[in-house]
Amino acid sequence: MRFLLDLTETKDMEIVALCDIYRPHLSEAIKMCDAKGIKVKQYLHYEDLLSSEKPDGVIIATPLHQHAHITIDCLKAGIHVFCEKAMARTLDDTRAMYDAHIETGRILQIGHQRLFNPVYLEGIKRIHDGKLGQLGQIRAYWHRNNDWRRPVPDKTEKMERFINWRLYKEYSAGLLTELMSHQIQVANWALDKTPVSVTGTGSIVFWKDGREVDDNVALIYSYDNGVQFIYGSMTSNKKYGLEEQIMGHKGTIEFETNRYYTETPPPAPGILQLLNDIESGLFEKVNIGGASWVPETAVKYNGEPIIENTDFYDTGLQLEGFISHVREGKAPEKLIREGYNASIWTLLGEKAIETGEKITLPEKYQI
């Protein structure tokens, strides 16, 4: 809402209606509009909105299990759709959303804001230009240390599941759909490929509070060129935060911290002094009997920024892009393909964890 309200001032865009089945959130959104002097219609049910309004586009920011039917109804009503990631709770619903986009010709943009982030755009360009050399492995992680719960005003089971839907499998795949779906999109983008298989494991090891989704997961996605995407996420330790590490034989990119590392960094000042001392003959003898190897710990090299100016919010850029696409009546097809493949392989990762098997993509979900 904050980004949209800002865009009404710069992008010749009007917010015409708001819809939320949860009245406290709807009231808060109305207050935000009122504070800007913007009067909007309000609805509790999206069906009523669709029967009364004819917007050019809608933004769907509901719980995951509600995405598919709302998206499909909007597309069939001739409305362009921006939908949060992941696309849907099931493989079939994800495919149905994509098919509705193809059949109606309406835009379906999925909320992968990194596709609009200048750091990622420049970094991906370097990767595709061969600056990292042959990619060997991609690692990503997203770690937090909290219970992921929201306060429940009414302590009934119904309201608990309504508010904390991310913790229940009926509505969410937890860390996979809410976090990893972003990062497998980056891996697919960097490789310009989708996986051929996935294996994984997960468990509830810390938050034994009635939740159904795992509080830690680990997966390995394999691609047809031999590269692996290795992923981990947990909610009881935040030391390492989040990152996507793209590693090639010439260098590494870490997107979240905006860093590029070459495999041949310039020598540190201390190393240069040591080399100068050796060349000057300042060492009279060499120690014998010391360690015959050096531990291969991480290289102490701070790298360099991928881009210098990071004064932007990619969520705002993503919504700005959607507005531009709606105005043009079309969007790059790559956007929906990225969203679709990330969503499908996220759900296949869930299946790998549940079955303990190596999972491949069924033909009916290929696009």
Side-chain angles (χ1 to χ4, degrees):
M1 282 298 299
R2 288 191 294 271
F3 287 119
L4 287 176
L5 289 169
D6 288 342
L7 291 173
T8 61
E9 300 176 357
T10 60
K11 293 299 175 183
D12 191 25
M13 181 271 292
E14 180 183 1
I15 301 174
V16 296
L18 296 171
C19 178
D20 199 317
I21 197 172
Y22 188 53
R23 288 182 183 274
H25 285 175
L26 181 60
S27 297
E28 186 64 25
I30 295 295
K31 289 178 184 177
M32 294 172 72
C33 289
D34 287 344
K36 291 274 192 175
I38 299 173
K39 299 302 178 183
V40 299
K41 295 180 181 179
Q42 53 183 297
Y43 298 88
L44 288 174
H45 303 287
Y46 84 94
E47 297 94 339
D48 295 335
L49 186 154
L50 291 181
S51 66
S52 302
E53 309 290 336
K54 298 298 179 184
D56 296 306
V58 300
I59 295 175
I60 297 174
T62 65
L64 176 62
H65 70 296
Q66 297 285 340
H67 285 179
H69 61 275
I70 301 177
T71 294
I72 292 168
D73 286 349
C74 289
L75 293 172
K76 289 183 176 180
I79 301 169
H80 301 296
V81 174
F82 175 98
C83 181
E84 286 191 329
K85 61 81 215 148
M87 284 177 66
R89 182 63 189 93
T90 69
L91 293 165
D92 286 340
D93 278 351
T94 303
R95 181 64 201 241
M97 289 171 68
Y98 177 81
D99 288 345
H101 152 70
I102 295 297
E103 292 165 5
T104 63
R106 300 292 92 182
I107 295 166
L108 177 54
Q109 182 175 319
I110 306 304
H112 289 286
Q113 64 264 39
R114 288 159 177 80
L115 287 162
F116 295 82
N117 186 314
V119 173
Y120 284 78
L121 290 168
E122 171 60 24
I124 292 293
K125 182 179 184 302
R126 293 190 193 183
I127 293 167
H128 292 171
D129 286 346
K131 301 299 184 184
L132 300 190
Q134 173 62 57
L135 300 187
Q137 189 179 99
I138 297 175
R139 297 189 306 189
Y141 47 86
W142 199 324
H143 303 311
R144 294 173 171 177
N145 194 344
N146 60 61
D147 62 9
W148 216 8
R149 288 190 170 277
R150 293 176 175 177
V152 180
D154 176 351
K155 300 301 182 181
T156 63
E157 173 68 12
K158 180 179 179 180
M159 186 57 70
E160 158 63 19
R161 295 174 74 88
F162 181 82
I163 297 295
N164 286 308
W165 57 272
R166 287 182 176 87
L167 303 181
Y168 299 97
K169 288 190 175 182
E170 181 179 355
Y171 320 115
S172 172
L175 296 171
L176 304 179
T177 47
E178 307 310 317
L179 301 181
M180 190 195 74
S181 56
H182 278 301
Q183 294 172 296
I184 192 171
Q185 183 272 311
V186 174
N188 291 343
W189 190 16
L191 291 167
D192 198 23
K193 291 177 177 290
T194 55
V196 294
S197 67
V198 57
T199 59
T201 185
S203 63
I204 301 174
V205 71
F206 187 82
W207 297 108
K208 301 180 185 297
D209 56 2
R211 71 186 60 203
E212 297 170 356
V213 300
D214 294 332
D215 64 10
N216 75 102
V217 296
L219 300 102
I220 301 176
Y221 288 86
S222 297
Y223 293 78
D224 65 3
N225 61 353
V227 176
Q228 286 83 41
F229 169 56
I230 301 173
Y231 187 79
S233 181
M234 65 185 300
T235 54
S236 56
N237 185 297
K238 65 181 180 180
K239 173 175 168 38
Y240 293 104
L242 80 157
E243 187 57 89
E244 302 94 32
Q245 301 168 323
I246 318 295
M247 296 177 286
H249 83 283
K250 291 183 180 179
T252 298
I253 278 178
E254 294 186 344
F255 278 115
E256 300 289 346
T257 50
N258 183 30
R259 306 306 291 178
Y260 164 74
Y261 306 87
T262 176
E263 283 288 291
T264 55
I271 297 296
L272 288 174
Q273 183 61 54
L274 176 61
L275 294 174
N276 289 336
D277 289 347
I278 292 174
E279 290 177 356
S280 301
L282 298 181
F283 291 99
E284 295 181 356
K285 57 185 178 180
V286 177
N287 291 327
I288 302 297
S292 60
W293 54 272
V294 176
E296 294 187 72
T297 54
V299 175
K300 305 298 183 183
Y301 162 52
N302 292 327
E304 61 187 60
I306 300 170
I307 65 171
E308 293 292 342
N309 181 15
T310 58
D311 186 23
F312 60 82
Y313 292 98
D314 52 9
T315 299
L317 294 175
Q318 168 183 243
L319 294 174
E320 186 177 326
F322 178 62
I323 293 167
S324 297
H325 297 149
V326 169
R327 184 167 286 116
E328 296 168 5
K330 61 181 180 179
E333 195 65 15
K334 179 175 178 60
L335 294 180
I336 179 57
R337 295 181 70 89
E338 288 282 340
Y340 177 83
N341 288 323
S343 296
I344 287 290
W345 278 99
T346 293
L347 294 174
L348 292 175
E350 178 188 31
K351 186 176 180 181
I353 290 174
E354 290 177 345
T355 63
E357 300 174 353
K358 178 185 287 188
I359 299 300
T360 58
L361 177 66
E363 185 175 351
K364 67 178 180 177
Y365 300 120
Q366 294 179 8
I367 59 170

